[in-house]
Amino acid sequence: MSPVYKSFIDGQFVSNQSGECFDVINPATNQVIYRVEEADDDVLQHAVSSSKRAFAIWSMMSAIERARILRKAADLLRERNDELAVIEVNDTGKPLQEANCVDVQTGADVIEYFAGLAPAQVGQQQAVGEDFYYTRKEPLGVVAGIGAWNYPLQIACWKSGPALAAGNTMIFKPSEETPLGAIKLAEIFIEAGMPAGVFNVIQGGAKVGQFLTSSNDIAKVSFTGEVSTGQAVAKDASQSLKSVTMELGGKSPLLVFEDADIEQAVSAAMLGNFYTQGEVCTNCTRVFVHSSIKSAFLKQLQTRIENNIVAGDPLDLEVNFGALISKQHQQKVLDYIAVGKAEGANILTGGAAWQPSGAPNGNFVQPTVFVDCTDDMQIVKEEIFGPVMCVLTFDDENEVIARANDTLLGLGAGVFTTDIQRAHRVIHQIQAGICWINSYGASPAEMPVGGYKLSGIGRENGIETLASYTQTKSIYVGMGKLESPF
Ligand code: NAD
């Protein structure tokens, strides 16, 4: 019998009355690993009333008291790193060698970072003649987080860290494909001394998400997922004029100039296409290589892919390339590969499903590189969210900037060149929110991240994010007689 998990509200698991359950499947084995009760109306109402009650307590605590609890939670996350990393691997199919040094740590870092910032938030005061006014940074109330499946625990930490530090309470809905990490975070918050109800987790799919986005009791929604879902969420949220943070998809460019360090640029292209088996929103899936170095770049890329990428049981620490989240998603990626072939792009390496010996039943797709791509191809325009790289060539700086920007998306971008002036000149003209020079993918807690254009609204991490979980109250103080015509 598989274990059954539930929504976690007010510090405990809460059963539904509807009896509805869904399966969670390990992407590397396609076995059911546990089942989860879907939140029904009673559970959802319970979550809202618990979060409202907890808001009255949490928002009245001093920022230092809240920070102390959040810092303790960050410590507990790090102490449980290995156990939590295995949960993430079984839910997502990503390699343990990634999860045990990135997923939990980067989540803990963000909680610790916002714990540190919270007590430093100050209002202003200004004299207006003899009178004066002052401002207070107040929390919004009950806010919602809705997560994607690629970094489940990290996403829950990145959303709850600033929200809770600012004094809000949060109802979090993880992806129905990876629901366990958020429950573990909720348990850790309680263990760290957080009042029950400050961070509630509700389980389910789109319907449960829609409850949050359309509820008048929720002041803000922070969403991570696909562009089309984000558009639906923003539309629903507009009915109650909620503020939204949208962390959506990308089709990011990597520009490799003729003076680039080719070995480093190949490392970036591989990291930005094959880390987490290609399921990373900022992936540089459009790799623009200067035509003069194309053959050297492709030769090294192919050699390193074919010799260094190891697929298999993601729990095996030698494995650096995992399984895609579901059979359905694997098929979507394979369909895109078929489209690329039909459009006339050629395959340098990969291009098929994969049954590695350590995990023959998993949803693997070979790391795939398309060459001879053109800007108008579907595989070059649309987010595939799998291990599929498109290589394009260019000759001129202005030409490649225009082509890199010729997309409705604008999440990430990278430039490789040893010319320092060109590096900055080019990146300043790229329409993307997260840019790297001679690097790719790093996302420390201190650095704001988020998209331009259809890739998102607002930012996560960095100082400005804390402010997005507050509202400013202005208070005018009269020091003399109130003049009135009445
Ligand atoms: P998705 O849009 O399918 O689902 C995301 C979440 O939204 C899930 O929890 C889902 O249950 C919920 N949901 C679905 N329909 C909803 C609705 N109508 N109302 C409210 N909630 C709803 O995305 P996914 O497949 O889980 O994740 C992959 C996508 O996420 C990719 O496009 C990727 O680029 C993006 N992503 C972006 C970032 C970022 O920071 N920009 C990070 C990770 C993933």
Side-chain angles (χ1 to χ4, degrees):
M1 276 281 281
S2 319
V4 178
Y5 291 96
K6 302 171 185 179
S7 296
F8 187 90
I9 299 170
D10 242 358
Q12 52 197 344
F13 288 103
V14 175
S15 301
N16 66 16
Q17 299 304 313
S18 64
E20 279 182 38
C21 253
F22 56 91
D23 293 337
V24 177
I25 293 169
N26 180 333
T29 62
N30 274 302
Q31 300 286 310
V32 174
I33 41 178
Y34 57 93
R35 310 197 74 216
V36 178
E37 283 191 13
E38 172 135 359
D40 60 11
D41 286 349
D42 285 350
V43 172
L44 297 175
Q45 294 304 338
H46 182 25
V48 170
S49 54
S50 152
S51 299
K52 281 167 127 175
R53 252 195 330 273
F55 179 72
I57 301 164
W58 185 244
S59 62
M60 292 308 287
M61 285 167 67
S62 74
I64 290 228
E65 283 176 293
R66 290 198 299 264
R68 204 172 292 135
I69 293 169
L70 288 166
R71 269 204 314 278
K72 171 86 175 145
D75 290 346
L76 290 171
L77 280 163
R78 292 199 183 94
E79 272 171 29
R80 311 254 163 93
N81 181 71
D82 294 356
E83 171 204 333
L84 294 167
V86 169
I87 288 173
E88 294 299 84
V89 170
N90 289 335
D91 274 9
T92 63
K94 68 174 66 184
L96 182 60
Q97 63 159 256
E98 288 183 17
N100 71 6
C101 63
V102 171
D103 294 53
V104 190
Q105 301 295 329
T106 54
D109 284 353
V110 167
I111 290 177
E112 186 174 25
Y113 173 76
F114 284 108
L117 279 184
Q121 273 227 317
V122 288
Q124 303 166 313
Q125 78 82 28
Q126 189 177 13
V128 189
E130 288 186 351
D131 296 349
F132 69 97
Y133 76 88
Y134 65 97
T135 62
R136 282 162 56 84
K137 288 280 184 199
E138 297 190 344
L140 302 171
V142 181
V143 299
I146 299 179
W149 44 254
N150 59 340
Y151 279 80
L153 178 65
Q154 186 207 63
I155 290 172
C157 293
W158 284 21
K159 295 194 186 304
S160 60
L164 305 189
N168 304 280
T169 56
M170 174 169 265
I171 304 180
F172 187 83
K173 191 201 85 62
S175 166
E176 60 275 37
E177 292 181 277
T178 54
L180 191 47
I183 295 177
K184 293 290 163 192
L185 177 63
E187 289 176 336
I188 282 174
F189 279 146
I190 294 286
E191 198 177 329
M194 193 174 281
V198 171
F199 182 75
N200 289 324
V201 177
I202 56 173
Q203 301 289 0
K207 198 169 130 228
V208 173
Q210 276 169 327
F211 167 83
L212 292 173
T213 54
S214 50
S215 165
N216 284 319
D217 291 312
I218 308 281
K220 171 184 170 101
V221 58
S222 176
F223 173 82
T224 299
E226 288 182 11
V227 171
S228 57
T229 320
Q231 288 166 327
V233 166
K235 190 168 168 225
D236 288 345
S238 72
Q239 291 306 307
S240 51
L241 292 181
K242 282 180 189 35
S243 70
V244 292
T245 298
M246 292 278 156
E247 297 289 341
L248 309 177
K251 193 74 189 178
S252 302
L254 178 71
L255 280 49
V256 185
F257 284 91
E258 64 276 22
D259 58 354
D261 177 326
I262 293 183
E263 193 182 340
Q264 291 283 296
V266 169
S267 294
M270 289 179 70
L271 264 174
N273 278 275
F274 305 131
Y275 201 70
T276 318
Q277 58 284 337
E279 294 168 329
V280 178
C281 52
T282 48
N283 271 358
C284 50
T285 45
R286 292 182 296 145
V287 177
F288 291 92
V289 181
H290 193 273
S291 55
S292 65
I293 56 164
K294 177 186 163 193
S295 59
F297 181 91
L298 290 182
K299 188 161 171 250
Q300 190 177 141
L301 180 66
Q302 181 173 6
T303 307
R304 286 174 61 183
I305 291 173
E306 291 173 1
N307 292 334
N308 300 350
I309 290 192
V310 183
D313 177 356
L315 290 169
D316 176 348
L317 282 170
E318 297 298 311
V319 165
N320 59 21
F321 188 84
L324 297 178
I325 187 71
S326 62
K327 273 261 162 276
Q328 193 190 7
H329 188 57
Q330 179 195 36
Q331 191 55 52
K332 180 182 151 189
V333 174
L334 292 171
D335 288 347
Y336 266 114
I337 291 173
V339 166
K341 288 179 187 164
E343 287 179 308
N346 291 310
I347 286 187
L348 178 73
T349 186
W354 202 0
Q355 286 88 34
S357 58
N361 300 316
N363 312 317
F364 292 84
V365 171
Q366 293 170 336
T368 299
V369 178
F370 274 113
V371 292
D372 308 316
C373 299
T374 54
D375 296 353
D376 57 347
M377 288 178 176
Q378 205 181 333
I379 53 164
V380 176
K381 289 167 104 80
E382 295 175 14
E383 184 184 50
I384 298 173
F385 217 56
V388 183
M389 182 193 307
C390 294
V391 178
L392 305 115
T393 52
F394 72 95
D395 291 303
D396 172 74
E397 182 180 308
N398 288 331
E399 166 216 330
V400 76
I401 293 168
R403 289 169 63 195
N405 286 336
D406 187 18
T407 164
L408 293 174
L409 300 166
L411 192 58
V415 174
F416 271 77
T417 173
T418 45
D419 175 343
I420 189 170
Q421 287 167 331
R422 169 151 68 189
H424 294 285
R425 181 174 68 234
V426 169
I427 216 79
H428 292 177
Q429 294 175 76
I430 297 288
Q431 297 157 357
I434 316 168
C435 297
W436 291 275
I437 292 176
N438 295 333
S439 184
Y440 209 86
S443 195
E446 299 89 330
M447 186 172 93
V449 288
Y452 280 20
K453 304 197 268 189
L454 285 184
S455 289
I457 301 173
R459 294 292 176 267
E460 289 192 321
N461 302 346
I463 290 175
E464 68 193 86
T465 296
L466 192 61
S468 76
Y469 282 95
T470 67
Q471 50 198 340
T472 302
K473 178 177 280 174
S474 296
I475 300 157
Y476 186 97
V477 181
M479 297 295 286
K481 187 168 176 292
L482 180 65
E483 298 292 342
S484 166
F486 309 112

